[in-house]
Amino acid sequence: MTGVAARAGHAAPAAALQRIGRAATAALYDELALHPKPGLVSFVDNGSHADMTAATFLRSLFALRRYFPAIAALGAEDAPLRDLEAAGIAAEARMLAATGGVNTHRGAIFTLGLLCASAGWRVARGLAPDADGVRATLRKRWGEALAGRRPANAGSHGRRAVLRHGLRGASDEAALGMPVLFEVALPALRAARAGGHGDEPARLQAFFEVLALLDDTNLVHRGGLAGLRHAQRHARAFLAAGGAGRPDARAHALAIHADFVARRLSPGGTADVLAAACLLQRL
């Protein structure tokens, strides 16, 4: 490696960076494969989307397969946030070229990219890329820059929702060390697995726990603030009824899915957090 890595004297084994990248791609597949997942695309149906299918997502994943190990390498080099952002912007262009202009993974490029960079930083220094360590590295290395970040896509639907309604967007979450991911989604995934549930019910439980709390700006874009609150109420009701572990959980989730499709609600931010939790679990 050259540049910062050479000056700092740190280099991560290429195989370790590739493992991080593969884990990120697999985590996005984990999210896509989950069904029912209210309002969202899966291999079963297109949810609330007329412009994308599971095949669109697979094309996007193929286009992003080199991005995740590359941003892990930038993290290993202790690169500044502007370099991580440049890599993300380039990855977004490849995604849009692969999908015909459809935004399948913009949020995941940002969120999972930061996690891969943090994991890369750690493995380059002989540290385990465990969840607590990845979060600590994210805060220590890039937290201050994230807090002062002016998003490159400041005119995006999500950013407009943040500014209009005073919500906490992805950049705000990242600057705080992604509390919904580390304090809600990942513990929910772990608890469900520890309780004897398989991958699908564990991910469904984590999905609804995130949906109940996250300021999901995708929901606001499609349904206004009322749409966000409607989705959160449904998520809380699902959890209050016993969550993913009860016998009728799938039927309940399918009913919510039908409601979201009828209202064109799509909790894409929640999907990104679920994929991020799957990444941490795989790491």
Side-chain angles (χ1 to χ4, degrees):
M1 289 185 180
T2 59
V4 177
R7 293 195 299 272
H10 291 289
L17 299 176
Q18 288 297 326
R19 282 195 297 272
I20 293 169
R22 285 195 298 271
T25 302
L28 289 176
Y29 186 90
D30 292 338
E31 182 275 320
L32 174 62
L34 178 63
H35 178 82
K37 189 174 60 223
L40 294 165
V41 175
S42 72
F43 291 112
V44 176
D45 61 47
N46 302 342
S48 299
H49 296 272
D51 60 343
M52 61 182 80
T53 67
T56 317
F57 277 78
L58 290 176
R59 288 197 299 273
S60 178
L61 284 181
F62 187 78
L64 295 175
R65 71 194 187 283
R66 293 190 178 93
Y67 162 68
F68 293 115
I71 199 167
L74 285 174
E77 295 171 5
D78 204 29
L81 183 64
R82 65 176 178 272
D83 290 356
L84 304 186
E85 286 187 313
I89 290 168
E92 184 177 318
R94 292 193 296 273
M95 171 197 75
L96 293 173
T99 62
V102 177
N103 169 25
T104 46
H105 287 120
R106 180 177 289 146
I109 288 170
F110 176 72
T111 299
L112 273 69
L114 284 173
L115 296 174
C116 286
S118 300
W121 189 97
R122 293 186 66 78
V123 298
R125 287 150 185 82
L127 302 170
D130 59 279
D132 289 342
V134 166
R135 187 183 194 188
T137 297
L138 174 63
R139 284 168 147 172
K140 181 178 180 180
R141 180 60 195 90
W142 296 288
E144 185 176 344
L146 284 163
R149 176 180 183 260
R150 185 181 180 85
N153 55 340
S156 69
H157 298 309
R159 195 62 193 167
R160 287 199 293 269
V162 167
L163 296 174
R164 181 177 180 183
H165 298 289
L167 303 175
R168 199 163 76 192
S171 289
D172 308 304
E173 277 285 311
L176 294 170
M178 302 184 185
V180 176
L181 168 60
F182 286 97
E183 298 169 21
V184 179
L186 187 60
L189 202 56
R190 287 173 168 170
R193 293 300 302 274
H197 299 301
D199 287 337
E200 185 168 293
R203 290 169 190 157
L204 190 65
Q205 180 71 20
F207 176 87
F208 274 103
E209 294 208 25
V210 172
L211 182 60
L213 293 172
L214 184 71
D215 284 346
D216 193 319
T217 56
N218 289 273
L219 287 167
V220 179
H221 165 58
R222 282 176 167 254
L225 198 59
L228 172 64
R229 301 308 180 211
H230 175 83
Q232 290 175 331
R233 285 194 297 272
H234 268 293
R236 289 195 294 270
F238 179 86
L239 296 171
R246 69 185 199 277
D248 63 341
R250 184 176 176 82
H252 192 172
L254 282 168
I256 297 172
H257 181 53
D259 174 83
F260 281 23
V261 171
R263 295 171 183 268
R264 295 190 65 253
L265 295 175
S266 175
T270 301
D272 293 338
V273 176
L274 174 62
C278 291
L279 168 58
L280 292 171
Q281 186 182 47
R282 285 179 173 276
L283 289 177

